[in-house]
Amino acid sequence: MVNADIEIETLAEFDRVAARGSLSGYRIQSVNLLERTFALLSADTSAAVFLGCAMEPDASVKVRADGALVFPPVPDLPFNPYRGLLYTAEELFAGLDRGYGATPDAEAYAWFQETKADGDVFSSMLRSLHDDAVSDALDEHLAGARVVGVMGGHAMTRGGDAYRGAAELGRALTRSGLTVATGGGPGAMEAANLGAYLAPAPDDALPEALKILAEAPSFAPSVSDWARAAFAVRERWPAVLGGDSVGIPTWFYGHEPPNAFAEHIAKYFANATREDGLLARSNAGVVFLPGAAGTVQEIFDNVTPNYYASRGEPTPMVLVDRAHWTEHLPVWPLLRALARGRAMESRIALVDSVDEVPAALATMS
């Protein structure tokens, strides 16, 4: 259960609560309060917690005297460890006109590489605070949603049939009322988020978008060109018209940039937290597109709680491409053997193409 009732994450929420004269017991998360000194001096702030909120010195002294707990902003960081909301593509790619290296996403990765190497406990604490805040924001965003995870490799290039199929899958799942969640990176992940983004648009929007994206088929050698092509699609079909989906990437794989088609991005430093969180939140099932070692790992990360029913009733698992999962990487025989005689046996399926996925999910849900 997400307890968002005591969390204040925007200035509008702060003003609404402060007007009642008491902030006691609230958690105010990353709100700039420099222009709210009068409200802070006037309101009861006992037992409140201020996480990364900028405030004037006299306001800070007063709320501390009330008994509030104050975690001040941390200067010179390329990210906010106390953030209350998920990221957006515009936020992570700000400054792209000067090249990807100038973006907050690239700067956060550079900081991660530097601090990971020196083993500074303060830096590791900041990463943990950030990731916990992101998880909290993700839970709040997905509360009540039926989420389907779409997993697949990063190597899938724009312009190919497999990429188009993954995009069509994301579109179909979104149009059926599900919230698509991916690993948030390039390849199959981007394709599924793209399909979800274009779900409200006419069908001919997807072929047009694929032509634009094909001009920069991969994030190598230029992340900048790859990302600019995505924003060209977003400009052609503005976000206000776009479908909702979630991307859950990680700075652990810094060579893989986040894709720009997830409307909400939960980016983590800790890859293990990110992977487990993505699978655990996919309450309507998980679709596994053809992939390599990473996708195989995700399959069995999902199998384990389904096998032991440690998260309750097993969730559906659909593997796409029979030849890939029975011949190239024969995961399916092992999965079927593990499921035999257990509750998860009726919740696994192997299909030949993405066209069969919605029906397979509906049958098992």
Side-chain angles (χ1 to χ4, degrees):
M1 179 71 68
V2 178
N3 183 12
D5 292 341
I6 63 170
E7 295 180 6
I8 296 174
E9 295 156 344
T10 67
L11 199 55
E13 288 178 309
F14 176 87
D15 289 341
R16 187 165 57 251
V17 175
R20 299 198 291 261
S22 178
L23 293 161
S24 180
Y26 280 87
R27 281 77 172 106
I28 302 91
Q29 195 169 351
S30 191
V31 180
N32 188 331
L33 300 176
L34 289 172
E35 296 184 0
R36 296 297 186 272
T37 300
F38 179 78
L40 291 170
L41 294 177
S42 304
D44 175 13
T45 56
S46 60
V49 179
F50 293 85
L51 298 166
C53 298
M55 62 181 78
E56 295 291 351
D58 52 344
S60 178
V61 169
K62 184 267 182 185
V63 300
R64 290 174 191 270
D66 275 355
L69 189 60
V70 178
F71 291 78
V74 182
D76 303 321
L77 276 183
F79 64 95
N80 178 2
Y82 308 112
R83 63 178 303 115
L85 303 172
L86 297 177
Y87 290 99
T88 64
E90 289 85 355
E91 181 182 0
L92 289 174
F93 284 103
L96 182 62
D97 56 320
R98 292 178 283 121
Y100 173 68
T103 65
D105 187 66
E107 290 173 351
Y109 175 62
W111 177 90
F112 179 37
Q113 288 296 96
E114 179 182 347
T115 58
K116 182 177 64 172
D118 63 25
D120 180 12
V121 66
F122 181 57
S123 297
S124 64
M125 183 193 73
L126 292 174
R127 292 195 297 268
S128 296
L129 282 172
H130 169 274
D131 286 1
D132 189 69
V134 167
S135 289
D136 181 65
L138 184 59
D139 284 336
E140 290 176 11
H141 176 71
L142 293 177
R146 295 177 62 232
V147 182
V148 58
V150 179
M151 312 295 174
H154 66 267
M156 187 183 290
T157 57
R158 296 164 168 175
D161 289 342
Y163 187 96
R164 175 186 52 76
E168 290 174 346
L169 173 63
R171 183 176 64 180
L173 293 172
T174 302
R175 287 178 174 177
S176 73
L178 296 169
T179 296
V180 169
T182 79
M189 297 171 279
E190 180 189 55
N193 286 131
L194 168 66
Y197 181 84
L198 292 176
D203 286 354
D204 59 7
L206 182 54
E208 289 183 47
L210 293 175
K211 287 181 182 178
I212 296 171
L213 295 174
E215 296 297 318
S218 174
F219 63 93
S222 172
V223 174
S224 299
D225 290 344
W226 176 83
R228 287 179 184 128
F231 279 100
V233 171
R234 289 180 63 98
E235 185 176 352
R236 172 69 178 81
W237 293 277
V240 68
L241 303 176
D244 189 18
S245 70
V246 173
I248 308 180
T250 174
W251 279 295
F252 183 81
Y253 296 125
H255 64 288
E256 290 185 13
N259 78 71
F261 295 114
E263 276 300 281
H264 305 275
I265 301 173
K267 190 150 192 179
Y268 289 90
F269 288 105
N271 186 50
T273 304
R274 166 251 194 171
E275 286 192 342
D276 183 67
L278 172 54
L279 294 169
R281 291 174 176 85
S282 297
N283 54 20
V286 186
V287 180
F288 298 93
L289 300 172
T295 309
V296 171
Q297 177 182 335
E298 288 164 347
I299 289 173
F300 288 103
D301 281 345
N302 201 45
V303 165
T304 302
N306 278 351
Y307 182 87
Y308 290 109
S310 57
R311 293 180 185 143
E313 184 126 354
T315 52
M317 299 176 64
V318 183
L319 278 60
V320 180
D321 192 330
R322 190 177 304 272
H324 184 83
W325 296 120
T326 60
E327 298 171 18
H328 181 59
L329 292 175
V331 166
W332 176 251
L334 177 54
L335 177 57
R336 189 168 56 177
L338 282 168
R340 190 172 297 123
R342 306 190 76 88
M344 66 177 286
E345 187 172 16
S346 62
R347 297 297 182 92
I348 61 172
L350 176 67
V351 299
D352 290 309
S353 72
V354 293
D355 296 338
E356 302 171 70
V357 170
L361 283 173
T363 299
M364 293 187 290
S365 295

